[in-house]
Amino acid sequence: MTECSPSFASAGRIAFSFSASSPDDAERGDRDRRIRDALDSLPEDQRAVLALRAGDDLSYDEIAAALGIPIGTVMSRLARAREAMRRRMQR
């Protein structure tokens, strides 16, 4: 079975990768669970911006238009979401 899993890439960004699952991937499964938990812990406004940026690869302008918010708000929410994810994943 092929599944999509988010992971940290350079500069604190979240990247999504596809991989075949196997029973031997306990470490990957633990990491994926931690990422899901960290994403779930974000406030909805931060999670939405992060999902549109990392998951849908939208530009800041596209995110601002989609959510009807200023680009500065997109940037601050994204920065806060990335920092919260970084802190949560370092635990």
Side-chain angles (χ1 to χ4, degrees):
M1 174 170 79
T2 302
E3 58 186 321
C4 174
S5 62
S7 61
F8 279 100
S10 63
R13 299 184 188 276
I14 297 178
F16 293 85
S17 60
F18 293 89
S19 62
S21 62
S22 72
D24 301 315
D25 292 333
E27 187 175 312
R28 181 180 296 145
D30 181 55
R31 184 197 67 211
D32 290 351
R33 180 193 52 76
R34 291 179 57 226
I35 291 170
R36 278 191 305 273
D37 290 348
L39 286 168
D40 289 344
S41 74
L42 292 175
E44 179 60 33
D45 59 346
Q46 292 177 15
R47 190 175 337 133
V49 170
L50 187 61
L52 291 172
R53 180 67 181 156
D56 295 337
D57 200 29
L58 297 184
S59 70
Y60 290 5
D61 288 328
E62 291 170 322
I63 296 168
L67 298 178
I69 58 176
I71 194 167
T73 303
V74 170
M75 295 168 70
S76 64
R77 288 180 184 176
L78 191 54
R80 287 185 184 115
R82 287 175 175 157
E83 181 58 30
M85 290 291 295
R86 202 173 356 264
R87 281 193 317 267
R88 179 78 186 245
M89 293 305 295
Q90 289 175 348
R91 290 184 189 174

